[in-house]
Amino acid sequence: QVQLVESGGGLVQAGGSLRLSCAASELPLSSYAMGWFRQAPGKEREFVAAIGRSGVPYYADSVKGRFTISRDNAKNTVYLQMNSLKPEDTAVYYCAARVGVIRTTSDYDYWGQGTQVTVSS
């Protein structure tokens, strides 16, 4: 059974950093485009960042310059390094995998269960 498992969330003060990880079982992530999305309470899920199979990243304007997405195919893991965190970054963060090219919409084939990130002011 394919599983994506996120980890690394938590509570951090504004200006701090966190690194999220997304590990996969039964799914060779090197064959998939990977994305990170987030959903804050009362809001729709939104695109955060994505990385193609070639390693080319793409970011939402709201996180550009602060977040970095990367992948380690040997560890079958994708990361989201989040720096200079703001209270508005508070959300549940989800990783996702899709066949083909990256998308900023939610049409991904596999999703993790999410990890909570809370940024205090």
Side-chain angles (χ1 to χ4, degrees):
Q1 182 179 354
V2 173
Q3 279 191 316
L4 296 177
V5 180
E6 302 96 335
S7 61
L11 173 64
V12 64
Q13 289 188 331
S17 299
L18 284 174
R19 188 177 79 157
L20 305 183
S21 300
C22 174
S25 62
E26 307 298 332
L27 192 71
L29 295 187
S30 60
S31 299
Y32 292 81
M34 299 299 298
W36 284 96
F37 291 76
R38 66 187 181 187
Q39 188 166 18
K43 295 187 177 180
E44 293 190 353
R45 184 165 53 191
E46 65 174 359
F47 170 78
V48 175
I51 187 166
R53 289 176 293 170
S54 63
V56 175
Y58 187 79
Y59 300 96
D61 287 344
S62 59
V63 306
K64 201 172 295 182
R66 300 188 298 124
F67 290 12
T68 302
I69 188 171
S70 62
R71 63 194 310 158
D72 185 335
N73 291 333
K75 295 184 177 180
N76 211 34
T77 301
V78 174
Y79 303 99
L80 185 68
Q81 177 67 43
M82 305 186 295
N83 298 329
S84 302
L85 282 162
K86 305 175 181 179
E88 51 264 44
D89 294 318
T90 295
V92 177
Y93 283 70
Y94 300 90
C95 73
R98 74 182 309 275
V99 176
V101 299
I102 61 174
R103 288 282 187 270
T104 61
T105 54
S106 298
D107 55 337
Y108 281 66
D109 302 300
Y110 302 101
W111 290 84
Q113 82 291 346
T115 185
Q116 176 70 46
V117 171
T118 303
V119 184
S120 63
S121 57

mmCIF file with all atom_site columns, all heavy atoms in Angstrom, residues 101-115:
data_model
loop_
_atom_site.group_PDB
_atom_site.id
_atom_site.type_symbol
_atom_site.label_atom_id
_atom_site.label_alt_id
_atom_site.label_comp_id
_atom_site.label_asym_id
_atom_site.label_entity_id
_atom_site.label_seq_id
_atom_site.pdbx_PDB_ins_code
_atom_site.Cartn_x
_atom_site.Cartn_y
_atom_site.Cartn_z
_atom_site.occupancy
_atom_site.B_iso_or_equiv
_atom_site.pdbx_formal_charge
_atom_site.auth_seq_id
_atom_site.auth_comp_id
_atom_site.auth_asym_id
_atom_site.auth_atom_id
_atom_site.pdbx_PDB_model_num
ATOM 1   N N   . VAL A 1 101 ? 4.378  15.973 -14.906 1.00 0.00 ? 101 VAL A N   1
ATOM 2   C CA  . VAL A 1 101 ? 5.009  17.231 -14.527 1.00 0.00 ? 101 VAL A CA  1
ATOM 3   C C   . VAL A 1 101 ? 4.352  17.802 -13.278 1.00 0.00 ? 101 VAL A C   1
ATOM 4   O O   . VAL A 1 101 ? 3.263  17.398 -12.878 1.00 0.00 ? 101 VAL A O   1
ATOM 5   C CB  . VAL A 1 101 ? 4.936  18.249 -15.685 1.00 0.00 ? 101 VAL A CB  1
ATOM 6   C CG1 . VAL A 1 101 ? 5.677  17.711 -16.903 1.00 0.00 ? 101 VAL A CG1 1
ATOM 7   C CG2 . VAL A 1 101 ? 3.486  18.562 -16.038 1.00 0.00 ? 101 VAL A CG2 1
ATOM 8   N N   . ILE A 1 102 ? 5.018  18.785 -12.669 1.00 0.00 ? 102 ILE A N   1
ATOM 9   C CA  . ILE A 1 102 ? 4.470  19.393 -11.468 1.00 0.00 ? 102 ILE A CA  1
ATOM 10  C C   . ILE A 1 102 ? 3.224  20.197 -11.822 1.00 0.00 ? 102 ILE A C   1
ATOM 11  O O   . ILE A 1 102 ? 3.038  20.644 -12.949 1.00 0.00 ? 102 ILE A O   1
ATOM 12  C CB  . ILE A 1 102 ? 5.495  20.304 -10.771 1.00 0.00 ? 102 ILE A CB  1
ATOM 13  C CG1 . ILE A 1 102 ? 5.927  21.458 -11.685 1.00 0.00 ? 102 ILE A CG1 1
ATOM 14  C CG2 . ILE A 1 102 ? 6.697  19.498 -10.321 1.00 0.00 ? 102 ILE A CG2 1
ATOM 15  C CD1 . ILE A 1 102 ? 6.829  22.481 -11.003 1.00 0.00 ? 102 ILE A CD1 1
ATOM 16  N N   . ARG A 1 103 ? 2.374  20.331 -10.828 1.00 0.00 ? 103 ARG A N   1
ATOM 17  C CA  . ARG A 1 103 ? 1.162  21.136 -10.936 1.00 0.00 ? 103 ARG A CA  1
ATOM 18  C C   . ARG A 1 103 ? 1.030  21.981 -9.690  1.00 0.00 ? 103 ARG A C   1
ATOM 19  O O   . ARG A 1 103 ? 1.458  21.582 -8.613  1.00 0.00 ? 103 ARG A O   1
ATOM 20  C CB  . ARG A 1 103 ? -0.070 20.234 -11.077 1.00 0.00 ? 103 ARG A CB  1
ATOM 21  C CG  . ARG A 1 103 ? -0.198 19.534 -12.411 1.00 0.00 ? 103 ARG A CG  1
ATOM 22  C CD  . ARG A 1 103 ? -0.728 20.469 -13.485 1.00 0.00 ? 103 ARG A CD  1
ATOM 23  N NE  . ARG A 1 103 ? -1.009 19.750 -14.736 1.00 0.00 ? 103 ARG A NE  1
ATOM 24  C CZ  . ARG A 1 103 ? -0.135 19.580 -15.709 1.00 0.00 ? 103 ARG A CZ  1
ATOM 25  N NH1 . ARG A 1 103 ? 1.074  20.075 -15.578 1.00 0.00 ? 103 ARG A NH1 1
ATOM 26  N NH2 . ARG A 1 103 ? -0.487 18.922 -16.787 1.00 0.00 ? 103 ARG A NH2 1
ATOM 27  N N   . THR A 1 104 ? 0.414  23.132 -9.823  1.00 0.00 ? 104 THR A N   1
ATOM 28  C CA  . THR A 1 104 ? 0.115  23.941 -8.647  1.00 0.00 ? 104 THR A CA  1
ATOM 29  C C   . THR A 1 104 ? -1.306 23.715 -8.176  1.00 0.00 ? 104 THR A C   1
ATOM 30  O O   . THR A 1 104 ? -1.717 24.274 -7.166  1.00 0.00 ? 104 THR A O   1
ATOM 31  C CB  . THR A 1 104 ? 0.320  25.438 -8.957  1.00 0.00 ? 104 THR A CB  1
ATOM 32  O OG1 . THR A 1 104 ? -0.568 25.806 -10.013 1.00 0.00 ? 104 THR A OG1 1
ATOM 33  C CG2 . THR A 1 104 ? 1.755  25.708 -9.377  1.00 0.00 ? 104 THR A CG2 1
ATOM 34  N N   . THR A 1 105 ? -2.049 22.920 -8.910  1.00 0.00 ? 105 THR A N   1
ATOM 35  C CA  . THR A 1 105 ? -3.384 22.537 -8.485  1.00 0.00 ? 105 THR A CA  1
ATOM 36  C C   . THR A 1 105 ? -3.312 21.194 -7.766  1.00 0.00 ? 105 THR A C   1
ATOM 37  O O   . THR A 1 105 ? -2.264 20.558 -7.720  1.00 0.00 ? 105 THR A O   1
ATOM 38  C CB  . THR A 1 105 ? -4.322 22.426 -9.690  1.00 0.00 ? 105 THR A CB  1
ATOM 39  O OG1 . THR A 1 105 ? -3.719 21.537 -10.646 1.00 0.00 ? 105 THR A OG1 1
ATOM 40  C CG2 . THR A 1 105 ? -4.518 23.788 -10.334 1.00 0.00 ? 105 THR A CG2 1
ATOM 41  N N   . SER A 1 106 ? -4.432 20.766 -7.202  1.00 0.00 ? 106 SER A N   1
ATOM 42  C CA  . SER A 1 106 ? -4.431 19.589 -6.333  1.00 0.00 ? 106 SER A CA  1
ATOM 43  C C   . SER A 1 106 ? -4.555 18.253 -7.063  1.00 0.00 ? 106 SER A C   1
ATOM 44  O O   . SER A 1 106 ? -4.820 17.239 -6.413  1.00 0.00 ? 106 SER A O   1
ATOM 45  C CB  . SER A 1 106 ? -5.569 19.711 -5.312  1.00 0.00 ? 106 SER A CB  1
ATOM 46  O OG  . SER A 1 106 ? -5.375 20.841 -4.481  1.00 0.00 ? 106 SER A OG  1
ATOM 47  N N   . ASP A 1 107 ? -4.368 18.221 -8.348  1.00 0.00 ? 107 ASP A N   1
ATOM 48  C CA  . ASP A 1 107 ? -4.526 16.961 -9.077  1.00 0.00 ? 107 ASP A CA  1
ATOM 49  C C   . ASP A 1 107 ? -3.264 16.116 -8.979  1.00 0.00 ? 107 ASP A C   1
ATOM 50  O O   . ASP A 1 107 ? -2.546 15.907 -9.965  1.00 0.00 ? 107 ASP A O   1
ATOM 51  C CB  . ASP A 1 107 ? -4.964 17.175 -10.521 1.00 0.00 ? 107 ASP A CB  1
ATOM 52  C CG  . ASP A 1 107 ? -4.048 18.098 -11.291 1.00 0.00 ? 107 ASP A CG  1
ATOM 53  O OD1 . ASP A 1 107 ? -3.341 18.898 -10.665 1.00 0.00 ? 107 ASP A OD1 1
ATOM 54  O OD2 . ASP A 1 107 ? -4.031 18.008 -12.535 1.00 0.00 ? 107 ASP A OD2 1
ATOM 55  N N   . TYR A 1 108 ? -2.997 15.661 -7.774  1.00 0.00 ? 108 TYR A N   1
ATOM 56  C CA  . TYR A 1 108 ? -1.919 14.741 -7.477  1.00 0.00 ? 108 TYR A CA  1
ATOM 57  C C   . TYR A 1 108 ? -2.507 13.367 -7.186  1.00 0.00 ? 108 TYR A C   1
ATOM 58  O O   . TYR A 1 108 ? -3.655 13.242 -6.762  1.00 0.00 ? 108 TYR A O   1
ATOM 59  C CB  . TYR A 1 108 ? -1.102 15.253 -6.281  1.00 0.00 ? 108 TYR A CB  1
ATOM 60  C CG  . TYR A 1 108 ? -0.125 16.343 -6.669  1.00 0.00 ? 108 TYR A CG  1
ATOM 61  C CD1 . TYR A 1 108 ? -0.569 17.584 -7.116  1.00 0.00 ? 108 TYR A CD1 1
ATOM 62  C CD2 . TYR A 1 108 ? 1.250  16.135 -6.601  1.00 0.00 ? 108 TYR A CD2 1
ATOM 63  C CE1 . TYR A 1 108 ? 0.315  18.581 -7.492  1.00 0.00 ? 108 TYR A CE1 1
ATOM 64  C CE2 . TYR A 1 108 ? 2.142  17.131 -6.956  1.00 0.00 ? 108 TYR A CE2 1
ATOM 65  C CZ  . TYR A 1 108 ? 1.682  18.349 -7.400  1.00 0.00 ? 108 TYR A CZ  1
ATOM 66  O OH  . TYR A 1 108 ? 2.562  19.329 -7.768  1.00 0.00 ? 108 TYR A OH  1
ATOM 67  N N   . ASP A 1 109 ? -1.694 12.348 -7.401  1.00 0.00 ? 109 ASP A N   1
ATOM 68  C CA  . ASP A 1 109 ? -2.192 10.976 -7.296  1.00 0.00 ? 109 ASP A CA  1
ATOM 69  C C   . ASP A 1 109 ? -2.149 10.426 -5.873  1.00 0.00 ? 109 ASP A C   1
ATOM 70  O O   . ASP A 1 109 ? -2.980 9.594  -5.504  1.00 0.00 ? 109 ASP A O   1
ATOM 71  C CB  . ASP A 1 109 ? -1.369 10.076 -8.224  1.00 0.00 ? 109 ASP A CB  1
ATOM 72  C CG  . ASP A 1 109 ? -1.431 10.532 -9.674  1.00 0.00 ? 109 ASP A CG  1
ATOM 73  O OD1 . ASP A 1 109 ? -2.541 10.567 -10.220 1.00 0.00 ? 109 ASP A OD1 1
ATOM 74  O OD2 . ASP A 1 109 ? -0.377 10.887 -10.238 1.00 0.00 ? 109 ASP A OD2 1
ATOM 75  N N   . TYR A 1 110 ? -1.186 10.848 -5.096  1.00 0.00 ? 110 TYR A N   1
ATOM 76  C CA  . TYR A 1 110 ? -1.022 10.328 -3.743  1.00 0.00 ? 110 TYR A CA  1
ATOM 77  C C   . TYR A 1 110 ? -0.806 11.482 -2.781  1.00 0.00 ? 110 TYR A C   1
ATOM 78  O O   . TYR A 1 110 ? -0.125 12.464 -3.120  1.00 0.00 ? 110 TYR A O   1
ATOM 79  C CB  . TYR A 1 110 ? 0.173  9.369  -3.662  1.00 0.00 ? 110 TYR A CB  1
ATOM 80  C CG  . TYR A 1 110 ? 0.086  8.195  -4.608  1.00 0.00 ? 110 TYR A CG  1
ATOM 81  C CD1 . TYR A 1 110 ? 0.796  8.201  -5.797  1.00 0.00 ? 110 TYR A CD1 1
ATOM 82  C CD2 . TYR A 1 110 ? -0.709 7.102  -4.308  1.00 0.00 ? 110 TYR A CD2 1
ATOM 83  C CE1 . TYR A 1 110 ? 0.722  7.141  -6.683  1.00 0.00 ? 110 TYR A CE1 1
ATOM 84  C CE2 . TYR A 1 110 ? -0.789 6.034  -5.183  1.00 0.00 ? 110 TYR A CE2 1
ATOM 85  C CZ  . TYR A 1 110 ? -0.083 6.055  -6.361  1.00 0.00 ? 110 TYR A CZ  1
ATOM 86  O OH  . TYR A 1 110 ? -0.166 4.995  -7.230  1.00 0.00 ? 110 TYR A OH  1
ATOM 87  N N   . TRP A 1 111 ? -1.363 11.324 -1.575  1.00 0.00 ? 111 TRP A N   1
ATOM 88  C CA  . TRP A 1 111 ? -1.276 12.362 -0.553  1.00 0.00 ? 111 TRP A CA  1
ATOM 89  C C   . TRP A 1 111 ? -0.882 11.754 0.786   1.00 0.00 ? 111 TRP A C   1
ATOM 90  O O   . TRP A 1 111 ? -1.261 10.615 1.103   1.00 0.00 ? 111 TRP A O   1
ATOM 91  C CB  . TRP A 1 111 ? -2.634 13.053 -0.387  1.00 0.00 ? 111 TRP A CB  1
ATOM 92  C CG  . TRP A 1 111 ? -3.017 13.891 -1.558  1.00 0.00 ? 111 TRP A CG  1
ATOM 93  C CD1 . TRP A 1 111 ? -3.620 13.469 -2.709  1.00 0.00 ? 111 TRP A CD1 1
ATOM 94  C CD2 . TRP A 1 111 ? -2.801 15.292 -1.708  1.00 0.00 ? 111 TRP A CD2 1
ATOM 95  N NE1 . TRP A 1 111 ? -3.791 14.529 -3.568  1.00 0.00 ? 111 TRP A NE1 1
ATOM 96  C CE2 . TRP A 1 111 ? -3.308 15.657 -2.970  1.00 0.00 ? 111 TRP A CE2 1
ATOM 97  C CE3 . TRP A 1 111 ? -2.233 16.272 -0.893  1.00 0.00 ? 111 TRP A CE3 1
ATOM 98  C CZ2 . TRP A 1 111 ? -3.253 16.979 -3.446  1.00 0.00 ? 111 TRP A CZ2 1
ATOM 99  C CZ3 . TRP A 1 111 ? -2.191 17.571 -1.362  1.00 0.00 ? 111 TRP A CZ3 1
ATOM 100 C CH2 . TRP A 1 111 ? -2.691 17.917 -2.634  1.00 0.00 ? 111 TRP A CH2 1
ATOM 101 N N   . GLY A 1 112 ? -0.144 12.544 1.568   1.00 0.00 ? 112 GLY A N   1
ATOM 102 C CA  . GLY A 1 112 ? 0.141  12.163 2.933   1.00 0.00 ? 112 GLY A CA  1
ATOM 103 C C   . GLY A 1 112 ? -0.975 12.612 3.856   1.00 0.00 ? 112 GLY A C   1
ATOM 104 O O   . GLY A 1 112 ? -1.953 13.241 3.423   1.00 0.00 ? 112 GLY A O   1
ATOM 105 N N   . GLN A 1 113 ? -0.811 12.308 5.137   1.00 0.00 ? 113 GLN A N   1
ATOM 106 C CA  . GLN A 1 113 ? -1.856 12.615 6.117   1.00 0.00 ? 113 GLN A CA  1
ATOM 107 C C   . GLN A 1 113 ? -1.732 14.021 6.690   1.00 0.00 ? 113 GLN A C   1
ATOM 108 O O   . GLN A 1 113 ? -2.652 14.505 7.341   1.00 0.00 ? 113 GLN A O   1
ATOM 109 C CB  . GLN A 1 113 ? -1.825 11.591 7.254   1.00 0.00 ? 113 GLN A CB  1
ATOM 110 C CG  . GLN A 1 113 ? -0.800 11.853 8.350   1.00 0.00 ? 113 GLN A CG  1
ATOM 111 C CD  . GLN A 1 113 ? 0.640  11.672 7.900   1.00 0.00 ? 113 GLN A CD  1
ATOM 112 O OE1 . GLN A 1 113 ? 0.909  11.102 6.850   1.00 0.00 ? 113 GLN A OE1 1
ATOM 113 N NE2 . GLN A 1 113 ? 1.574  12.135 8.726   1.00 0.00 ? 113 GLN A NE2 1
ATOM 114 N N   . GLY A 1 114 ? -0.600 14.653 6.460   1.00 0.00 ? 114 GLY A N   1
ATOM 115 C CA  . GLY A 1 114 ? -0.406 16.023 6.899   1.00 0.00 ? 114 GLY A CA  1
ATOM 116 C C   . GLY A 1 114 ? 0.354  16.131 8.207   1.00 0.00 ? 114 GLY A C   1
ATOM 117 O O   . GLY A 1 114 ? 0.343  15.213 9.035   1.00 0.00 ? 114 GLY A O   1
ATOM 118 N N   . THR A 1 115 ? 1.019  17.257 8.387   1.00 0.00 ? 115 THR A N   1
ATOM 119 C CA  . THR A 1 115 ? 1.718  17.559 9.626   1.00 0.00 ? 115 THR A CA  1
ATOM 120 C C   . THR A 1 115 ? 1.440  19.016 9.988   1.00 0.00 ? 115 THR A C   1
ATOM 121 O O   . THR A 1 115 ? 1.459  19.896 9.123   1.00 0.00 ? 115 THR A O   1
ATOM 122 C CB  . THR A 1 115 ? 3.233  17.285 9.504   1.00 0.00 ? 115 THR A CB  1
ATOM 123 O OG1 . THR A 1 115 ? 3.860  17.476 10.776  1.00 0.00 ? 115 THR A OG1 1
ATOM 124 C CG2 . THR A 1 115 ? 3.898  18.187 8.479   1.00 0.00 ? 115 THR A CG2 1
#
